[in-house]
């Protein structure tokens, strides 16, 4: 399903991140960075809420909007009951929608907001996503201090929050169209190899996007996936080339860009988490577009719809990918 | 069909895992722990004139304390990542799993946090330890106590 938007623009973006991301190559593009993982709070869950609040405050400051001038806030994160968004967005905007698309929440939020703005019901909207390495570890894997050795295919949940203000005021970057992805099940079930789990969703959504819009892949200066990591990226490239003859030389992945994979060995295959795609797209890619270094970007956030409970009950891990096309005008 | 095709391509881009190296590291680091344990028992037997069973209890206590203390300092998980399962299989790993769970849930309070979650990982070892002790006890009973 592909929608076209006529009057949706990105007005401003804000990013806040933790110490691992600060050590990465994109440090200078982030608005605010922290040196520890607690950010002055006493638990990791509260720390993640703080991240959301910080990025919203930063976004309002940068854009000059007041809290009550925001029509709609859309928030998503990985915690149970999307608590980081629910608590973090409290007090900002006139309406709130909490969404769960796992790590694809960033683009899912943008699509929902763009549709609402394009329909004329609202004038502006903030989309915010967050993730925290430690709160996710605690919820999905082992206790945070537990030293379970991880395989090289595993990815590292990024710590940070990215927010983006969309509105119908003309700005430099236009949200041009979007393809909403469906749930994809390729019978994958290794939680330590999320690149392999999520690559099918990218293939599926990308193929449908290109078919719907009748575009060549080189229409875009950059195709950017969310958090496949270095092995998932190779799978997508190989599959697209083998099966559809599409050569993806304009392709990169936020999970590969966020950390220095040579120096930061702890992250193994790359970054993951809803914040991963937001941190890269709303800082580095946004700056590249503002400076007109690249003009057309297809942002494809990928999510593994993964529940530890159902995995133990021998179910597969499904995945989903949403794509949004951004253009410099 | 679709999945087989995908798996074939995905298998070409699998992460390399150096199993031999991990195995050797775990073997050596686990061995060193065993060696240290034996050394401590000998030292206690010789110098403190303890019986061998008393000395081994003290050694176990000492290892549990060290592992828990290092977990609390945030060092043990980094060591475990370096020395792989060599540190997780001995009693040090058991202590580490309990302390790390307790630390994780300390904010939820003594009852709903630490009390309910401390055995999250260690519970496995206790449950199946008791079950296998029961099975082996039964076998021993039927063999008439000859083994």
């Amino acid at each position: 399903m592909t929608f076209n938007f006529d009057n949706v623009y990105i007005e401003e973006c804000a990013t806040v991140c933790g110490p691992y991301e600060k050590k990465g190559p994109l440090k200078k593009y982030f608005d605010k960075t922290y040196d520890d993982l607690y950010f002055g709070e006493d638990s990791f869950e509260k720390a993640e809420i703080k991240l959301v609040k910080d990025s919203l405050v930063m976004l309002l400051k940068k854009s000059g909007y007041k809290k009550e001038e925001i029509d709609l806030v859309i928030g998503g994160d990985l915690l149970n009951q999307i608590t980081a968004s629910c608590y973090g967005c409290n007090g900002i905007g006139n309406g709130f929608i909490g969404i769960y698309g796992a790590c694809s929440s960033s683009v899912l939020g943008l699509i929902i907001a763009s549709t609402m703005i394009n329909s004329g019901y609202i004038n502006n909207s903030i989309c915010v996503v967050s993730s925290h390495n430690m709160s996710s570890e605690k919820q999905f894997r082992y206790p945070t201090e537990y030293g379970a050795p991880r395989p090289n295919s595993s990815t590292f949940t990024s710590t940070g929050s990215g927010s983006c203000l969309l509105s119908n005021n003309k700005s430099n970057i236009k949200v041009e169209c979007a393809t909403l992805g469906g749930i994809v099940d390729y019978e994958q079930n290794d939680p330590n190899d999320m690149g392999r789990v999520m690559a099918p969703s990218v293939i599926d959504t990308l193929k449908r996007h290109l078919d719907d819009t009748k575009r060549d892949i080189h229409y875009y200066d950059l195709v950017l996936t969310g958090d496949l990591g270095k092995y998932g990226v190779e799978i997508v490239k190989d599959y697209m080339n083998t099966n559809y003859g599409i050569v993806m030389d304009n392709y990169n992945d936020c999970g590969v860009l966020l950390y220095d994979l040579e120096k930061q060995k702890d992250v193994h295959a790359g970054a993951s988490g809803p914040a991963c795609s937001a941190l890269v797209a709303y800082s580095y890619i946004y700056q590249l577009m503002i400076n007109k270094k690249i003009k057309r970007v297809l942002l494809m956030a990928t999510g593994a719809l993964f529940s530890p409970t159902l995995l133990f009950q021998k179910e597969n891990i499904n995945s989903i990918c949403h794509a949004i096309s951004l253009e410099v005008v | 069909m679709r999945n087989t095709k995908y798996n074939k391509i995905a298998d070409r881009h699998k992460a390399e895992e150096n199993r031999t190296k991990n195995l050797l590291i775990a073997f050596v680091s686990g061995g060193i722990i065993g060696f240290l344990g034996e050394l401590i028992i000998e030292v206690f037997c010789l110098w403190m004139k303890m019986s061998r069973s008393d000395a081994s209890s003290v050694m176990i206590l000492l290892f549990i304390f060290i592992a828990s203390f290092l977990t609390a300092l945030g060092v043990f998980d980094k060591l475990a990542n370096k020395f792989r399962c060599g540190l997780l299989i001995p009693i040090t790993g058991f202590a580490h799993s309990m302390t790390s769970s307790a630390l994780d849930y300390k904010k939820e309070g003594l009852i709903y946090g630490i009390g309910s979650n401390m055995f999250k990982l260690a519970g496995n070892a206790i449950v199946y330890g008791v079950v296998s002790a029961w099975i082996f006890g039964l076998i021993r009973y039927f063999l008439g106590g000859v083994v």
Side-chain angles (χ1 to χ4, degrees):
Chain A
M1 253 210 303
T2 302
F3 322 108
N4 290 309
F5 304 117
D6 312 314
N7 60 338
V8 187
Y9 300 89
I10 295 184
E11 259 197 73
E12 193 56 81
C13 292
T15 46
V16 182
C17 70
Y20 293 105
E21 295 68 28
K22 190 179 176 179
K23 284 181 202 146
L26 304 181
K27 184 195 165 191
K28 61 178 176 186
Y29 298 101
F30 299 129
D31 295 311
K32 190 173 179 181
T33 55
Y34 283 99
D35 286 317
D36 76 305
L37 283 164
Y38 280 102
F39 320 134
E41 299 292 328
D42 61 5
S43 77
F44 293 128
E45 288 78 11
K46 289 182 195 165
E48 189 171 340
I49 295 169
K50 172 95 191 281
L51 277 177
V52 176
K53 283 186 176 157
D54 267 3
S55 88
L56 289 173
V57 167
M58 182 66 72
L59 184 68
L60 290 176
K61 198 173 122 193
K62 280 172 84 177
S63 64
Y65 276 79
K66 291 199 189 77
K67 280 191 242 185
E68 53 280 2
E69 286 171 343
I70 304 298
D71 290 336
L72 174 67
V73 179
I74 300 177
D77 60 272
L78 285 178
L79 296 186
N80 286 336
Q81 294 92 32
I82 42 173
T83 27
S85 307
C86 296
Y87 283 77
C89 299
N90 188 7
I92 293 174
N94 298 314
F96 170 75
I97 300 179
I99 52 168
Y100 187 81
C103 311
S104 70
S105 302
S106 56
V107 170
L108 178 61
L110 292 179
I111 295 178
I112 297 172
S114 304
T115 317
M116 298 275 277
I117 293 170
N118 201 61
S119 67
Y121 288 125
I122 58 171
N123 292 319
N124 57 46
S125 171
I126 290 180
C127 301
V128 61
V129 284
S130 67
S131 55
H132 191 294
N133 181 273
M134 292 297 173
S135 63
S136 311
E137 282 286 306
K138 182 175 166 183
Q139 182 176 307
F140 288 99
R141 288 167 49 83
Y142 296 112
T144 49
E145 282 301 327
Y146 190 69
R150 298 157 66 102
N152 288 332
S153 57
S154 65
T155 46
F156 186 88
T157 310
S158 51
T159 304
S161 172
S163 51
C164 174
L165 177 68
L166 296 176
S167 82
N168 50 15
N169 294 334
K170 201 165 188 304
S171 76
N172 289 328
I173 300 173
K174 185 183 179 208
V175 180
E176 188 248 335
C177 73
T179 301
L180 203 58
I183 296 169
V184 173
D185 179 10
Y186 271 54
E187 291 175 11
Q188 301 298 318
N189 45 28
D190 184 359
N192 282 317
D193 195 353
M194 286 302 192
R196 187 178 175 139
V197 170
M198 295 188 291
S201 66
V202 174
I203 294 160
D204 188 70
T205 305
L206 183 59
K207 185 74 178 60
R208 285 202 286 134
H209 176 81
L210 296 177
D211 287 349
D212 285 352
T213 54
K214 298 190 175 54
R215 283 172 187 166
D216 182 72
I217 185 102
H218 294 102
Y219 173 85
Y220 294 103
D221 299 324
L222 176 67
V223 175
L224 192 68
T225 47
D227 52 355
L228 292 186
K230 58 180 176 186
Y231 302 104
V233 165
E234 293 307 318
I235 297 176
V236 170
K237 280 184 184 168
D238 194 348
Y239 194 97
M240 293 305 279
N241 195 5
T242 315
N243 286 307
Y244 305 122
I246 296 173
V247 182
M248 299 185 67
D249 46 9
N250 52 346
Y251 170 49
N252 215 326
D253 181 65
C254 297
V256 174
L257 290 168
L258 186 60
Y259 299 115
D260 187 332
L261 297 184
E262 290 301 315
K263 283 185 194 149
Q264 295 174 291
K265 289 279 184 207
D266 291 351
V267 306
H268 300 290
S272 64
C276 171
S277 53
L279 284 178
V280 176
Y282 300 166
S283 61
Y284 175 53
I285 303 300
Y286 180 69
Q287 284 304 323
L288 284 182
M289 291 186 84
I290 288 283
N291 298 330
K292 302 207 158 95
K293 298 255 172 63
I294 47 175
K295 291 200 169 139
R296 289 168 178 159
V297 174
L298 185 68
L299 180 61
M300 307 182 74
T302 44
L305 303 171
F306 158 57
S307 142
T309 313
L310 279 166
L311 187 71
F312 292 141
Q313 294 176 13
K314 307 273 181 276
E315 288 292 321
N316 299 330
I317 308 175
N318 294 342
S319 62
I320 193 162
C321 171
H322 302 294
I324 198 160
S325 153
L326 308 174
E327 243 178 61
V328 175
V329 285
Chain B
M1 176 61 206
R2 181 188 70 166
N3 299 346
T4 351
K5 206 160 81 180
Y6 174 73
N7 280 333
K8 217 168 158 187
I9 289 176
D11 282 342
R12 282 187 230 156
H13 306 284
K14 259 193 174 161
E16 297 262 320
E17 211 68 56
N18 198 338
R19 281 178 194 276
T20 329
K21 193 179 147 202
N22 290 345
L23 206 93
L24 277 175
I25 292 174
F27 180 75
V28 172
S29 57
I32 288 173
I33 299 233
F35 171 75
L36 282 176
E38 202 55 41
L39 197 73
I40 289 168
I41 292 177
E42 290 299 329
V43 165
F44 279 134
C45 281
L46 267 177
W47 291 355
M48 318 271 285
K49 303 276 179 275
M50 277 184 190
S51 72
R52 208 174 157 78
S53 68
D54 282 354
S56 69
S57 302
V58 175
M59 177 274 292
I60 287 173
L61 281 177
L62 196 68
F63 272 176
I64 290 176
F65 174 76
I66 293 171
S68 302
F69 191 66
L70 289 180
T71 308
L73 291 180
V75 182
F76 197 95
D77 56 335
K78 294 188 181 82
L79 290 176
N81 269 326
K82 208 167 258 169
F83 298 109
R84 318 302 287 190
C85 288
L87 289 185
L88 293 177
I89 300 295
I91 191 81
T92 43
F94 186 76
H96 172 56
S97 75
M98 287 187 64
T99 321
S100 60
S101 304
L103 277 173
D104 231 21
Y105 290 93
K106 117 186 133 182
K107 277 285 163 278
E108 283 88 337
L110 286 173
I111 306 294
Y112 296 111
I114 296 179
S116 340
N117 291 297
M118 198 166 175
F119 286 89
K120 219 179 169 184
L121 301 172
N124 269 321
I126 305 237
V127 171
Y128 295 107
V130 171
V131 170
S132 46
W134 189 81
I135 292 171
F136 283 109
L138 212 66
I139 295 173
R140 192 166 186 264
Y141 175 79
F142 282 117
L143 289 177
V146 278
V147 273

